[in-house]
Structure formats: structure tokens, C-alpha cells
Amino acid sequence: MPELEAKLTADTAYQAVWTGPRADLNLFLTFVSELLTEGGAPVDLGRMLQEKNLKDAGIKLFLVYARVGHLPADFTKNFDAHLAAVKGEPNQGLWAPYAKGAVPHDFTALAAVLHRGTAEYLRARIAAKAKGPTSWRVPGGGGTPPERPYLSYERDCYERLALLTRLEPAEQARLDLLRQTRVGERFVLGDFAYIISGAQARTSVGNQFVKEEASEGALFVVVSYVIENLGNAPATVVSDDFLLVDAKGRQFKPSSHANTALAMSGGRKDLLLSELNPGVKRTVKTAFEVPDAVVGAGLKLVVPEKGLLGSKTVEVALQFE
């Protein structure tokens, strides 16, 4: 038997936790859940477990999982038996609403990790994050990346839920909203961070020397944004990979003629390709030609994740200056 597993077997406090006070078990499972999700746990939580001689056991379980990709068989057996025993309790016994001074109780993530294909535990996770002891992480908020983003970020959790089951109308509406980012909010896609600064509707772009007029019945939508390279090496970025989508779902690509006029008149830092060094931010403007009737009518900017393997997108509901 490997050393960590042997130490857990010999740990009397750990072996007794399943039959001891319920509050101690809830606390212990919450601690293990946080470790598996975030790679760490709140200091106060660890301190409470230390007083009960259970902190080291929680850390050993986390290390076992990191080494072999699963928890010890005896833990999984006891945990599943506990899930079955408390299933009829409020919130399936997985979590309790936040109350000042109360012992934290939320091991929804642990249930979701051990039962990856079960949608009900992701739904329990969503409910716990709304009213339980901890809240969702803020995308782009910094700090050490979580072990399992789909249990730390609200949108990622809904995206995973959508892969497992058909979303209820309220869930789909929430996911649609989460997929949108507001103007002025920083968001991260791959190795780049963005802030969409705003949008302007114009009949023409450029200056007296280089000018492009919008077609009859159309306008140029000029989107301003800041892009930052978060990677460790210079990156060549394409400036014309954004899309505009109107309320009917129609897609509009950037206008090459309008963007040439912007570049030649100094209103745009680059043309098609630009190398961006690590840690450097650049302000860019990109123009789209759209029917004038769609301006301000639910127009969204779709920002794709860059790179050959990029698959994510962020939608930003545009606000016009």
C-alpha cells in the first residue's frame, strides 16, 4: 500500500469522521471539496479542521487524487453511502445556506468530481454558489488558476451542464447572459486579455486624405478595444477576426476598406497583422459595415479565442457613444 494511503488507514480521526458528529463530517468534506476545486482552501476552514485533527487527512486525500487521478476506494465507498443517506434532506444534504458564524457546508464540487456524468450535482453546485458559503470566481480576477474551472466559474459550470443534459429555459437564459460581456469589462481568452471600450456609428471613416464612405442604407460600426498579451512570448495577432451579430443572428465581418482608411488616417494602430510582446497592451479600432437599421438594436460583438486550438468565444453587447 502506498505511503499516503497507509497513513490514512492508520489515521484514527479520519477513520472516525464518517461516524462522528455530522458537523465535523460536513466540514471535512467541504475542505476536501475546496482542495479538489481550487487547489487550496480558506485559512479559517483549515484552522477549524486542524483543531479536530482532520486537516492532514484532507491534504493527503488531495495528494492521492493528484497522484493517481482518483480518491481511495474506502473514501469513495463511504462518501457514496453518505450521499444516499442524506439525499432526502434539504439541498440533498450537500450544502447549507450561508449564515454568519455557521460552519461552512458545501461539498457539491466533491460530488460533481466523483460523479462527472451526473447533471444534478452541477445543478446543486449552481444553487450552492447562489446561496451557500462561497461565491463564484470572477473571470480575469487573477490569482492561482483553479484546479477545475468548471466548478469555480459560473459560465464554465453552465457550459459543462449543457454538455450533460438539456438546459431548462431559465438555465439557458442564464448561460446566454453569461456568454455576454459588458462594455468596459476585462475578460480573458487564451493568452490574451481584452477590454471592449465602446462603439461608434459613422457614415464614413478616415480623414480628408484617405476616406471611406458607407454604402447607401448602411453605417460603419467602429469598435474600440484594448488587447493585452498575457503569454510569455511575442504573439502575432490578427486584428480582423471579430464578428458582429445582429438580433436576427446575421453575422458581419470587419470591412477591409474601412479598416484600411482607419489605418492610413492614424485611427488604427495596425492593419492586418501585428506582433504584440508579453505584458504589452494595445488600443485598436475595427470597423464593420452594417445596415443602419441594426445599429443599437441588440448588436453583439463576438470575440474568438486566438490560436489553432482556440474554441471559446465571448459575446459583448455593444453600447454606442
Side-chain angles (χ1 to χ4, degrees), residues 259-293:
N259 284 321
T260 298
L262 278 175
M264 297 298 289
S265 63
R268 180 180 161 118
K269 300 292 186 184
D270 54 3
L271 187 54
L272 295 176
L273 299 174
S274 177
E275 189 170 84
L276 195 60
N277 283 321
V280 173
K281 299 179 182 179
R282 181 170 298 162
T283 299
V284 183
K285 291 184 178 180
T286 298
F288 304 78
E289 189 175 35
V290 301
D292 55 13

Side-chain angles (χ1 to χ4, degrees), residues 77-310:
K77 179 181 178 181
N78 287 326
F79 182 71
D80 283 346
H82 180 66
L83 287 183
V86 302
K87 189 174 180 65
E89 296 181 4
N91 308 315
Q92 303 177 72
L94 294 168
W95 65 277
Y98 168 78
K100 187 175 181 179
V103 174
H105 172 191
D106 176 10
F107 50 89
T108 52
L110 177 58
V113 168
L114 295 183
H115 298 276
R116 292 183 180 87
T118 306
E120 68 176 297
Y121 293 128
L122 287 181
R123 287 189 164 117
R125 181 67 172 172
I126 291 168
K129 284 296 186 181
K131 297 182 179 179
T134 62
S135 56
W136 295 109
R137 275 204 187 200
V138 178
T144 304
E147 291 285 320
R148 290 167 179 80
Y150 75 95
L151 296 172
S152 297
Y153 297 113
E154 186 179 11
R155 175 181 168 178
D156 288 30
C157 192
Y158 274 101
E159 296 281 11
R160 176 64 68 94
L161 180 62
L163 295 175
L164 295 180
T165 187
R166 183 183 181 87
L167 297 182
E168 297 293 335
E171 294 170 338
Q172 186 62 60
R174 181 60 179 167
L175 178 55
D176 291 342
L177 181 62
L178 290 168
R179 284 171 172 168
Q180 295 186 17
T181 301
R182 294 180 176 84
V183 168
E185 290 182 346
R186 182 177 185 268
F187 60 91
V188 175
L189 275 176
D191 288 334
F192 297 91
Y194 301 84
I195 298 176
I196 308 303
S197 307
Q200 293 180 332
R202 303 182 188 176
T203 57
S204 65
V205 293
N207 57 25
Q208 66 268 35
F209 303 108
V210 182
K211 189 174 185 179
E212 184 72 20
E213 299 280 351
S215 303
E216 184 177 354
L219 289 170
F220 290 126
V221 173
V222 180
V223 177
S224 301
Y225 66 96
V226 177
I227 181 171
E228 177 184 1
N229 182 359
L230 302 178
N232 297 319
T236 300
V237 297
V238 179
S239 299
D240 291 336
D241 55 354
F242 291 4
L243 288 175
L244 285 187
V245 180
D246 69 6
K248 297 180 180 179
R250 295 181 296 180
Q251 298 181 349
F252 304 92
K253 293 182 178 180
S255 167
S256 58
H257 295 299
N259 284 321
T260 298
L262 278 175
M264 297 298 289
S265 63
R268 180 180 161 118
K269 300 292 186 184
D270 54 3
L271 187 54
L272 295 176
L273 299 174
S274 177
E275 189 170 84
L276 195 60
N277 283 321
V280 173
K281 299 179 182 179
R282 181 170 298 162
T283 299
V284 183
K285 291 184 178 180
T286 298
F288 304 78
E289 189 175 35
V290 301
D292 55 13
V294 310
V295 174
L299 203 58
K300 297 183 295 187
L301 178 72
V302 180
V303 182
E305 182 179 3
K306 297 184 184 298
L308 294 176
L309 300 179

Side-chain angles (χ1 to χ4, degrees), residues 17-89:
V17 72
W18 300 102
T19 55
R22 177 71 179 279
D24 290 356
L25 179 58
N26 287 339
L27 184 67
F28 179 68
L29 294 178
T30 298
F31 182 68
V32 175
S33 188
E34 285 295 305
L35 291 179
L36 289 177
T37 306
E38 299 290 345
V43 174
D44 289 346
L45 194 59
R47 186 180 298 115
M48 285 185 282
L49 276 177
Q50 186 70 53
E51 294 173 354
K52 301 177 183 297
N53 297 317
L54 286 169
K55 180 179 179 181
D56 288 347
I59 293 173
K60 288 184 178 70
L61 287 170
F62 172 64
L63 294 175
V64 169
Y65 194 101
R67 190 188 75 231
V68 299
H70 59 80
L71 290 168
D74 69 311
F75 178 92
T76 302
K77 179 181 178 181
N78 287 326
F79 182 71
D80 283 346
H82 180 66
L83 287 183
V86 302
K87 189 174 180 65
E89 296 181 4

